[in-house]
Amino acid sequence: MSNVVNGTPRYRFAPSPTGFFHVGGARTALYNWILALQTNGVFVLRIEDTDESRNEPQWTQGIIDALAWIGINGNDPHFEGPYFQSANAAAHVAAAHRLFESGRAYYCDLTSEQIQERAKASGKPGYDGFSRDRNLEAGPGRVLRFRVPEGVTVVHDEVRGRVEFDNATLEDFVLLRGNGSPIFNLANVVDDLTMNITHVVRAEEHLPNTPKQQMLWEALAGRVPVWAHVPVLVNEQRKKLSKRRDKVALEQYRDEGVLPEAMVNYLMTLGWAPPGDVEIVDFATIVREFKLSAVNHSSAFFDIKKLNSFNGDYIRKLSIDQFVAACDPWLTGVRTAVAAVGDPPSAPWPAERFDRSVFLRIAPHVQTRVALLSEVPAMVDFLFLPDAPIDSVAFDKAFAAQWAVPALRAIRDRISVGEWGSDALKAVVEAVGVEHGVKLGKLQAPLRVATTGRSVGPPLFESLEVLGRDETLRRVDAALTRAG
Ligand code: GLU
């Protein structure tokens, strides 16, 4: 099943498909990926698909696409898989039988009601080991339980240090259910063993499983992996990110126009800081500097505002050609990025009206003003829609002043002749402003809403230069009519 080379570190990412890709999962995957790159090791993707209700084939594709989007590419030589837990079921059962043969596990026929009754009678919660010495053979309805030894289990965790578990708190846990099917902890360990995994780096919520899993590792293989449990991501109220409450799907951020490089950099700053004062660092630096031992113990706030601000910085770092290319899906409705799942964003204008050369002229002014690529269409739609998409509230506000109509009329007359360009337009508006006793900033409002439909957008005079004289005049006339 695996192509392990002796001495090669083998990491793994083992998601259970859920239909979307959690940002916390993305961070765990990145940790494993970066460690594999750092050590020239292997990143194994294993889909933990044994829960039948979670077995949609397109969900696996969604995981692969989401990983590819954050740069964890299935074609990279460090990448191995995907493997499917369900395909390994025979090995899970065989391992359980080995544990039974060696006396490390035993069968038990108590029903859950009987277990509860015994617990009530003794005043000690949980299963009391009733069948430990009853020497039962396998049989219908009998579960196989691991014989937990007395003492303590010490887990050495790369992030949390030494973590001790009192074995008295771990009852003889189930390995095979009454119908013979394996339990998660067994399947998870047997898969890791089969795949020669050396490092288990995963979410903190699995820490309670770890003493049980460590016992299974020791019993089945006589070795344990390097463990690392990374703290959970929380929202502003310091509550664990949940799909009901929070925006947790990586795909959603992608579709809003977060750049993958920004997402990767941001995720990596959650609970870890690159050395020095800067947080925005390239991937090569992250791969060089990242250390599990430097990961924080406490939960990390997934701050969308900060992510957006990172993204704005990443957007501004793009060359203009890269920016235009990155905007393409939002402008043409055609997704060109690696990932192809989800609905492509749709542009708010008919496809045939979009003109890339026109966009290219305004793009430098847009690039400096957006935090998300999905904000781009609303900034430039006035150029590609047949008419300015008038925002009535903004319109009424801009035309509320007495001076608005006469001043706009004066501007209209002067810009209908002479040079056409942002400087000339600005000079005209300034002059009209002086004549009407209105500041340039204020006077731009009716002109802007008349021509672009909105009260905010890219710089006005540059926008009008691109819109062109005829269209500008037509829209100003329409606005003057509307304003009465
Ligand atoms: N399948 C588990 C999950 O998605 C991960 C188990 C592990 O990493 O060991 O939470």
Side-chain angles (χ1 to χ4, degrees), residues 213-242:
Q213 294 190 352
Q214 180 160 297
M215 287 178 200
L216 291 175
W217 274 86
E218 280 163 348
L220 289 166
R223 70 172 177 104
V224 293
V226 176
W227 301 109
H229 289 88
V230 303
V232 292
L233 303 184
V234 294
N235 65 15
E236 206 156 9
Q237 288 80 43
R238 311 301 296 177
K239 293 217 175 86
K240 193 173 144 185
L241 287 191
S242 101

mmCIF file of all heavy atoms in Angstrom, residues 213-242:
data_model
loop_
_atom_site.group_PDB
_atom_site.id
_atom_site.type_symbol
_atom_site.label_atom_id
_atom_site.label_comp_id
_atom_site.label_asym_id
_atom_site.label_seq_id
_atom_site.Cartn_x
_atom_site.Cartn_y
_atom_site.Cartn_z
ATOM 1 N N GLN A 213 -5.070 5.431 21.149
ATOM 2 C CA GLN A 213 -4.381 5.121 19.896
ATOM 3 C C GLN A 213 -2.921 4.736 20.168
ATOM 4 O O GLN A 213 -2.371 3.847 19.524
ATOM 5 C CB GLN A 213 -4.456 6.311 18.946
ATOM 6 C CG GLN A 213 -5.900 6.592 18.504
ATOM 7 C CD GLN A 213 -5.980 7.598 17.379
ATOM 8 O OE1 GLN A 213 -4.993 8.214 16.994
ATOM 9 N NE2 GLN A 213 -7.176 7.787 16.851
ATOM 10 N N GLN A 214 -2.324 5.427 21.125
ATOM 11 C CA GLN A 214 -0.920 5.106 21.438
ATOM 12 C C GLN A 214 -0.799 3.659 21.943
ATOM 13 O O GLN A 214 0.137 2.942 21.583
ATOM 14 C CB GLN A 214 -0.379 6.092 22.469
ATOM 15 C CG GLN A 214 1.065 5.802 22.836
ATOM 16 C CD GLN A 214 1.752 7.015 23.445
ATOM 17 O OE1 GLN A 214 1.906 8.040 22.783
ATOM 18 N NE2 GLN A 214 2.183 6.897 24.680
ATOM 19 N N MET A 215 -1.777 3.239 22.759
ATOM 20 C CA MET A 215 -1.760 1.845 23.232
ATOM 21 C C MET A 215 -1.877 0.887 22.058
ATOM 22 O O MET A 215 -1.241 -0.171 22.035
ATOM 23 C CB MET A 215 -2.932 1.604 24.189
ATOM 24 C CG MET A 215 -2.728 2.260 25.523
ATOM 25 S SD MET A 215 -4.204 1.953 26.511
ATOM 26 C CE MET A 215 -4.021 3.234 27.689
ATOM 27 N N LEU A 216 -2.715 1.240 21.103
ATOM 28 C CA LEU A 216 -2.870 0.370 19.934
ATOM 29 C C LEU A 216 -1.582 0.334 19.104
ATOM 30 O O LEU A 216 -1.167 -0.719 18.625
ATOM 31 C CB LEU A 216 -4.047 0.833 19.073
ATOM 32 C CG LEU A 216 -5.444 0.634 19.682
ATOM 33 C CD1 LEU A 216 -6.527 1.248 18.798
ATOM 34 C CD2 LEU A 216 -5.726 -0.866 19.871
ATOM 35 N N TRP A 217 -0.953 1.484 18.939
ATOM 36 C CA TRP A 217 0.333 1.527 18.218
ATOM 37 C C TRP A 217 1.336 0.593 18.899
ATOM 38 O O TRP A 217 1.997 -0.211 18.244
ATOM 39 C CB TRP A 217 0.908 2.950 18.237
ATOM 40 C CG TRP A 217 0.429 3.847 17.150
ATOM 41 C CD1 TRP A 217 -0.703 4.599 17.156
ATOM 42 C CD2 TRP A 217 1.081 4.122 15.903
ATOM 43 N NE1 TRP A 217 -0.805 5.331 15.998
ATOM 44 C CE2 TRP A 217 0.285 5.054 15.211
ATOM 45 C CE3 TRP A 217 2.256 3.682 15.303
ATOM 46 C CZ2 TRP A 217 0.625 5.547 13.952
ATOM 47 C CZ3 TRP A 217 2.604 4.178 14.052
ATOM 48 C CH2 TRP A 217 1.794 5.094 13.386
ATOM 49 N N GLU A 218 1.413 0.730 20.215
ATOM 50 C CA GLU A 218 2.404 -0.072 20.945
ATOM 51 C C GLU A 218 2.080 -1.556 20.812
ATOM 52 O O GLU A 218 2.960 -2.384 20.580
ATOM 53 C CB GLU A 218 2.451 0.354 22.415
ATOM 54 C CG GLU A 218 3.277 1.610 22.594
ATOM 55 C CD GLU A 218 3.046 2.308 23.926
ATOM 56 O OE1 GLU A 218 2.076 1.957 24.627
ATOM 57 O OE2 GLU A 218 3.838 3.224 24.239
ATOM 58 N N ALA A 219 0.791 -1.869 20.940
ATOM 59 C CA ALA A 219 0.401 -3.284 20.903
ATOM 60 C C ALA A 219 0.579 -3.880 19.505
ATOM 61 O O ALA A 219 0.956 -5.041 19.359
ATOM 62 C CB ALA A 219 -1.047 -3.418 21.350
ATOM 63 N N LEU A 220 0.326 -3.085 18.489
ATOM 64 C CA LEU A 220 0.359 -3.640 17.127
ATOM 65 C C LEU A 220 1.725 -3.520 16.471
ATOM 66 O O LEU A 220 2.083 -4.322 15.620
ATOM 67 C CB LEU A 220 -0.683 -2.932 16.244
ATOM 68 C CG LEU A 220 -2.141 -3.259 16.541
ATOM 69 C CD1 LEU A 220 -3.067 -2.253 15.855
ATOM 70 C CD2 LEU A 220 -2.485 -4.682 16.077
ATOM 71 N N ALA A 221 2.478 -2.493 16.839
ATOM 72 C CA ALA A 221 3.708 -2.229 16.096
ATOM 73 C C ALA A 221 4.925 -2.045 16.979
ATOM 74 O O ALA A 221 6.045 -1.972 16.481
ATOM 75 C CB ALA A 221 3.516 -0.982 15.233
ATOM 76 N N GLY A 222 4.702 -1.920 18.271
ATOM 77 C CA GLY A 222 5.844 -1.705 19.155
ATOM 78 C C GLY A 222 6.510 -0.362 18.949
ATOM 79 O O GLY A 222 7.656 -0.156 19.347
ATOM 80 N N ARG A 223 5.839 0.556 18.315
ATOM 81 C CA ARG A 223 6.394 1.911 18.179
ATOM 82 C C ARG A 223 5.237 2.906 18.238
ATOM 83 O O ARG A 223 4.071 2.510 18.096
ATOM 84 C CB ARG A 223 7.169 2.083 16.869
ATOM 85 C CG ARG A 223 6.304 2.096 15.624
ATOM 86 C CD ARG A 223 7.093 2.461 14.369
ATOM 87 N NE ARG A 223 6.247 2.404 13.178
ATOM 88 C CZ ARG A 223 5.759 3.475 12.559
ATOM 89 N NH1 ARG A 223 6.019 4.695 13.003
ATOM 90 N NH2 ARG A 223 5.002 3.349 11.488
ATOM 91 N N VAL A 224 5.581 4.173 18.453
ATOM 92 C CA VAL A 224 4.542 5.207 18.398
ATOM 93 C C VAL A 224 5.006 6.278 17.429
ATOM 94 O O VAL A 224 6.210 6.454 17.233
ATOM 95 C CB VAL A 224 4.255 5.844 19.791
ATOM 96 C CG1 VAL A 224 3.635 4.820 20.727
ATOM 97 C CG2 VAL A 224 5.488 6.470 20.387
ATOM 98 N N PRO A 225 4.066 6.985 16.835
ATOM 99 C CA PRO A 225 4.465 8.065 15.925
ATOM 100 C C PRO A 225 4.841 9.308 16.724
ATOM 101 O O PRO A 225 4.624 9.355 17.937
ATOM 102 C CB PRO A 225 3.196 8.312 15.125
ATOM 103 C CG PRO A 225 2.092 8.007 16.083
ATOM 104 C CD PRO A 225 2.599 6.889 16.968
ATOM 105 N N VAL A 226 5.377 10.290 16.059
ATOM 106 C CA VAL A 226 5.524 11.610 16.671
ATOM 107 C C VAL A 226 4.123 12.234 16.649
ATOM 108 O O VAL A 226 3.479 12.255 15.606
ATOM 109 C CB VAL A 226 6.509 12.479 15.861
ATOM 110 C CG1 VAL A 226 6.583 13.888 16.430
ATOM 111 C CG2 VAL A 226 7.880 11.816 15.819
ATOM 112 N N TRP A 227 3.676 12.674 17.804
ATOM 113 C CA TRP A 227 2.341 13.278 17.880
ATOM 114 C C TRP A 227 2.456 14.804 17.906
ATOM 115 O O TRP A 227 3.380 15.329 18.535
ATOM 116 C CB TRP A 227 1.621 12.894 19.169
ATOM 117 C CG TRP A 227 1.386 11.440 19.446
ATOM 118 C CD1 TRP A 227 2.014 10.685 20.394
ATOM 119 C CD2 TRP A 227 0.441 10.577 18.812
ATOM 120 N NE1 TRP A 227 1.514 9.404 20.387
ATOM 121 C CE2 TRP A 227 0.547 9.308 19.426
ATOM 122 C CE3 TRP A 227 -0.494 10.750 17.776
ATOM 123 C CZ2 TRP A 227 -0.233 8.224 19.045
ATOM 124 C CZ3 TRP A 227 -1.280 9.667 17.412
ATOM 125 C CH2 TRP A 227 -1.148 8.418 18.029
ATOM 126 N N ALA A 228 1.502 15.456 17.300
ATOM 127 C CA ALA A 228 1.384 16.911 17.460
ATOM 128 C C ALA A 228 -0.081 17.279 17.311
ATOM 129 O O ALA A 228 -0.713 16.926 16.299
ATOM 130 C CB ALA A 228 2.220 17.644 16.429
ATOM 131 N N HIS A 229 -0.612 17.942 18.327
ATOM 132 C CA HIS A 229 -2.018 18.360 18.282
ATOM 133 C C HIS A 229 -2.074 19.874 18.241
ATOM 134 O O HIS A 229 -1.570 20.542 19.134
ATOM 135 C CB HIS A 229 -2.779 17.768 19.466
ATOM 136 C CG HIS A 229 -2.967 16.291 19.308
ATOM 137 N ND1 HIS A 229 -2.037 15.376 19.742
ATOM 138 C CD2 HIS A 229 -3.950 15.583 18.685
ATOM 139 C CE1 HIS A 229 -2.455 14.152 19.424
ATOM 140 N NE2 HIS A 229 -3.610 14.258 18.784
ATOM 141 N N VAL A 230 -2.650 20.370 17.180
ATOM 142 C CA VAL A 230 -2.612 21.817 16.969
ATOM 143 C C VAL A 230 -3.916 22.448 17.444
ATOM 144 O O VAL A 230 -4.989 21.868 17.265
ATOM 145 C CB VAL A 230 -2.283 22.173 15.499
ATOM 146 C CG1 VAL A 230 -0.965 21.544 15.095
ATOM 147 C CG2 VAL A 230 -3.372 21.749 14.553
ATOM 148 N N PRO A 231 -3.808 23.614 18.076
ATOM 149 C CA PRO A 231 -4.991 24.217 18.701
ATOM 150 C C PRO A 231 -6.089 24.570 17.700
ATOM 151 O O PRO A 231 -5.802 24.830 16.527
ATOM 152 C CB PRO A 231 -4.449 25.475 19.378
ATOM 153 C CG PRO A 231 -3.078 25.658 18.882
ATOM 154 C CD PRO A 231 -2.598 24.388 18.293
ATOM 155 N N VAL A 232 -7.287 24.592 18.190
ATOM 156 C CA VAL A 232 -8.435 24.855 17.308
ATOM 157 C C VAL A 232 -8.514 26.330 16.919
ATOM 158 O O VAL A 232 -7.925 27.202 17.568
ATOM 159 C CB VAL A 232 -9.779 24.460 17.970
ATOM 160 C CG1 VAL A 232 -9.885 22.977 18.127
ATOM 161 C CG2 VAL A 232 -9.970 25.178 19.296
ATOM 162 N N LEU A 233 -9.275 26.582 15.865
ATOM 163 C CA LEU A 233 -9.550 27.952 15.448
ATOM 164 C C LEU A 233 -10.866 28.388 16.083
ATOM 165 O O LEU A 233 -11.806 27.601 16.169
ATOM 166 C CB LEU A 233 -9.676 28.020 13.921
ATOM 167 C CG LEU A 233 -8.471 27.527 13.118
ATOM 168 C CD1 LEU A 233 -8.702 27.734 11.620
ATOM 169 C CD2 LEU A 233 -7.197 28.256 13.566
ATOM 170 N N VAL A 234 -10.889 29.620 16.544
ATOM 171 C CA VAL A 234 -12.098 30.130 17.200
ATOM 172 C C VAL A 234 -12.563 31.418 16.521
ATOM 173 O O VAL A 234 -11.803 32.061 15.790
ATOM 174 C CB VAL A 234 -11.859 30.398 18.710
ATOM 175 C CG1 VAL A 234 -11.587 29.107 19.451
ATOM 176 C CG2 VAL A 234 -10.717 31.388 18.929
ATOM 177 N N ASN A 235 -13.822 31.773 16.782
ATOM 178 C CA ASN A 235 -14.365 33.012 16.222
ATOM 179 C C ASN A 235 -14.152 34.171 17.207
ATOM 180 O O ASN A 235 -13.485 34.010 18.233
ATOM 181 C CB ASN A 235 -15.838 32.835 15.839
ATOM 182 C CG ASN A 235 -16.722 32.591 17.054
ATOM 183 O OD1 ASN A 235 -16.320 32.820 18.198
ATOM 184 N ND2 ASN A 235 -17.936 32.131 16.813
ATOM 185 N N GLU A 236 -14.745 35.309 16.867
ATOM 186 C CA GLU A 236 -14.536 36.508 17.668
ATOM 187 C C GLU A 236 -14.958 36.323 19.124
ATOM 188 O O GLU A 236 -14.372 36.902 20.033
ATOM 189 C CB GLU A 236 -15.341 37.647 17.048
ATOM 190 C CG GLU A 236 -14.775 38.991 17.339
ATOM 191 C CD GLU A 236 -15.192 40.015 16.289
ATOM 192 O OE1 GLU A 236 -16.050 39.702 15.433
ATOM 193 O OE2 GLU A 236 -14.637 41.120 16.340
ATOM 194 N N GLN A 237 -15.966 35.482 19.342
ATOM 195 C CA GLN A 237 -16.426 35.225 20.724
ATOM 196 C C GLN A 237 -15.605 34.122 21.388
ATOM 197 O O GLN A 237 -15.997 33.595 22.417
ATOM 198 C CB GLN A 237 -17.903 34.805 20.735
ATOM 199 C CG GLN A 237 -18.891 35.919 20.438
ATOM 200 C CD GLN A 237 -19.018 36.208 18.953
ATOM 201 O OE1 GLN A 237 -19.080 35.295 18.139
ATOM 202 N NE2 GLN A 237 -19.014 37.480 18.593
ATOM 203 N N ARG A 238 -14.497 33.769 20.776
ATOM 204 C CA ARG A 238 -13.609 32.715 21.268
ATOM 205 C C ARG A 238 -14.313 31.358 21.297
ATOM 206 O O ARG A 238 -13.970 30.484 22.078
ATOM 207 C CB ARG A 238 -13.042 33.018 22.680
ATOM 208 C CG ARG A 238 -12.444 34.382 22.870
ATOM 209 C CD ARG A 238 -11.315 34.692 21.948
ATOM 210 N NE ARG A 238 -10.117 33.867 22.091
ATOM 211 C CZ ARG A 238 -9.034 33.978 21.300
ATOM 212 N NH1 ARG A 238 -9.012 34.872 20.328
ATOM 213 N NH2 ARG A 238 -8.004 33.207 21.482
ATOM 214 N N LYS A 239 -15.315 31.185 20.457
ATOM 215 C CA LYS A 239 -15.983 29.879 20.353
ATOM 216 C C LYS A 239 -15.400 29.154 19.160
ATOM 217 O O LYS A 239 -15.095 29.769 18.132
ATOM 218 C CB LYS A 239 -17.487 30.068 20.114
ATOM 219 C CG LYS A 239 -18.222 30.687 21.277
ATOM 220 C CD LYS A 239 -19.612 30.049 21.394
ATOM 221 C CE LYS A 239 -20.357 30.531 22.601
ATOM 222 N NZ LYS A 239 -21.091 31.780 22.350
ATOM 223 N N LYS A 240 -15.276 27.837 19.302
ATOM 224 C CA LYS A 240 -14.740 27.013 18.223
ATOM 225 C C LYS A 240 -15.515 27.276 16.929
ATOM 226 O O LYS A 240 -16.745 27.334 16.948
ATOM 227 C CB LYS A 240 -14.909 25.543 18.655
ATOM 228 C CG LYS A 240 -14.152 24.581 17.824
ATOM 229 C CD LYS A 240 -14.240 23.196 18.420
ATOM 230 C CE LYS A 240 -14.291 22.214 17.283
ATOM 231 N NZ LYS A 240 -14.486 20.855 17.690
ATOM 232 N N LEU A 241 -14.810 27.441 15.809
ATOM 233 C CA LEU A 241 -15.492 27.713 14.543
ATOM 234 C C LEU A 241 -16.468 26.585 14.238
ATOM 235 O O LEU A 241 -16.111 25.421 14.278
ATOM 236 C CB LEU A 241 -14.493 27.776 13.386
ATOM 237 C CG LEU A 241 -13.574 28.986 13.250
ATOM 238 C CD1 LEU A 241 -12.892 28.945 11.889
ATOM 239 C CD2 LEU A 241 -14.316 30.302 13.419
ATOM 240 N N SER A 242 -17.691 26.963 13.926
ATOM 241 C CA SER A 242 -18.669 25.923 13.621
ATOM 242 C C SER A 242 -19.366 26.273 12.314
ATOM 243 O O SER A 242 -19.549 27.454 11.993
ATOM 244 C CB SER A 242 -19.685 25.794 14.748
ATOM 245 O OG SER A 242 -20.885 26.456 14.399
#
